[in-house]
Amino acid sequence: MKRLVFEPTDIPYLSFPSLSDINVAETSRQIVKHDRRSAKKSYNPNFSQMKNICTGMADLALLKSDLAPKKPIKPQTAAWMKSVYAVCECLYTVYGAEQSTWYPARRVPIEILPGAWFKSAIRGVRVNNGVAKAHLINPRKSMFLREVDFAFLARWLIEFHIRDDANIQGFEIVDFGANPNGGDRSIRIRTDESLAPMTLEVFEATIERFLDAVQLAGFATLPNDAAQTTDLFRKHW
């Protein structure tokens, strides 16, 4: 059995042609391609700066300096660093203007099904003006969240991060993707106050279709019992 680690945002990212109309065969091909091009590049260094950024006193130039490679880099790495610096600017814009407190999430992958591992959807919990909210942040320029994607991720946060945690009062979904019709990154934010989550019935069906594609791609074996799909993910984070 092959092994592949997913971000929850990979579900809307890899679903083909869209999250609301998943073609299992085509989505399985997208998953195989995703596995082949999975690289060691990561935005984790950006998110390691969140505690500093949320003090409201961080300096953008110093943040970028801390992210800079310490050794000479190859051209492809230089191109990647442009993305790292762009995400740094976006995080600074959203979180650096006022003082708050950031608690990073545990991001160790959990084996949900044999061969299919998932990371936590949230990067952390931010306490601002006494209110604690779970924060899902999409740093990928190539992923532009559509309204159905926001609704799906909102339900994910409610079911797996908020429902059973009385300490978290809500959520924010922050998207740094670029519009596929052209243009650079934009900053779009949806909150529990402004976003209607996907219905639980549709949410369950969406995850089931995606897991069917994961199995077809050779990365998981689905259980034969009739347990709800959401129960596979609940209480792991």
Side-chain angles (χ1 to χ4, degrees):
M1 177 66 65
K2 295 184 288 183
R3 177 180 184 269
L4 186 59
V5 177
F6 294 95
E7 298 267 359
T9 51
D10 286 332
I11 297 179
Y13 186 62
L14 298 174
S15 293
F16 187 90
S18 70
L19 190 65
S20 56
D21 183 28
I22 297 177
N23 180 302
V24 172
E26 290 297 331
T27 299
S28 72
R29 295 187 183 97
Q30 295 298 316
I31 292 168
V32 171
K33 290 178 183 178
H34 178 68
D35 175 53
R36 289 173 179 169
R37 65 174 178 258
S38 291
K40 302 301 181 183
K41 297 173 182 176
S42 170
Y43 289 106
N44 286 340
N46 289 98
F47 292 105
S48 70
Q49 297 182 322
M50 287 299 292
K51 282 190 175 182
N52 185 14
I53 293 173
C54 287
T55 63
M57 298 181 291
D59 180 272
L60 181 58
L62 289 177
L63 292 170
K64 288 185 175 181
S65 177
D66 287 342
L67 293 169
K70 308 307 178 188
K71 299 179 180 179
I73 57 176
K74 298 178 180 180
Q76 57 266 37
T77 304
W80 166 247
M81 288 308 301
K82 289 182 180 179
S83 293
V84 171
Y85 295 142
V87 170
C88 180
E89 292 174 1
C90 290
L91 290 172
Y92 181 80
T93 299
V94 175
Y95 296 98
E98 59 183 328
Q99 184 177 4
S100 60
T101 305
W102 181 264
Y103 297 94
R106 183 174 179 269
R107 297 273 293 168
V108 178
I110 301 294
E111 189 174 26
I112 300 301
L113 293 169
W117 297 63
F118 279 79
K119 293 182 179 180
S120 168
I122 66 172
R123 289 289 179 170
V125 174
R126 184 192 190 196
V127 180
N128 191 24
N129 295 321
V131 179
K133 292 195 174 188
H135 281 245
L136 185 158
I137 305 170
N138 168 43
R140 289 184 278 196
K141 183 178 181 179
S142 59
M143 181 179 184
F144 183 79
L145 296 178
R146 293 161 293 186
E147 291 307 313
V148 66
D149 302 333
F150 278 114
F152 173 83
L153 294 171
R155 176 58 67 184
W156 187 289
L157 294 177
I158 291 169
E159 294 300 318
F160 306 139
H161 295 282
I162 297 174
R163 197 184 74 168
D164 297 325
D165 192 338
N167 295 315
I168 301 178
Q169 287 88 49
F171 64 81
E172 292 192 14
I173 301 174
V174 183
D175 180 28
F176 297 153
N179 193 309
N181 295 324
D184 206 346
R185 294 176 181 270
S186 60
I187 297 175
R188 297 182 301 147
I189 302 174
R190 300 288 189 275
T191 73
D192 56 290
E193 299 169 345
S194 64
L195 180 61
M198 181 178 282
T199 66
L200 186 56
E201 180 181 8
V202 174
F203 179 71
E204 283 265 3
T206 301
I207 294 180
E208 288 170 2
R209 293 283 288 176
F210 185 80
L211 291 180
D212 284 342
V214 173
Q215 178 172 250
L216 185 60
F219 291 103
T221 300
L222 301 183
N224 294 321
D225 59 47
Q228 285 188 316
T229 305
T230 50
D231 291 338
L232 295 171
F233 294 86
R234 189 167 286 119
K235 296 183 179 179
H236 283 296
W237 297 286

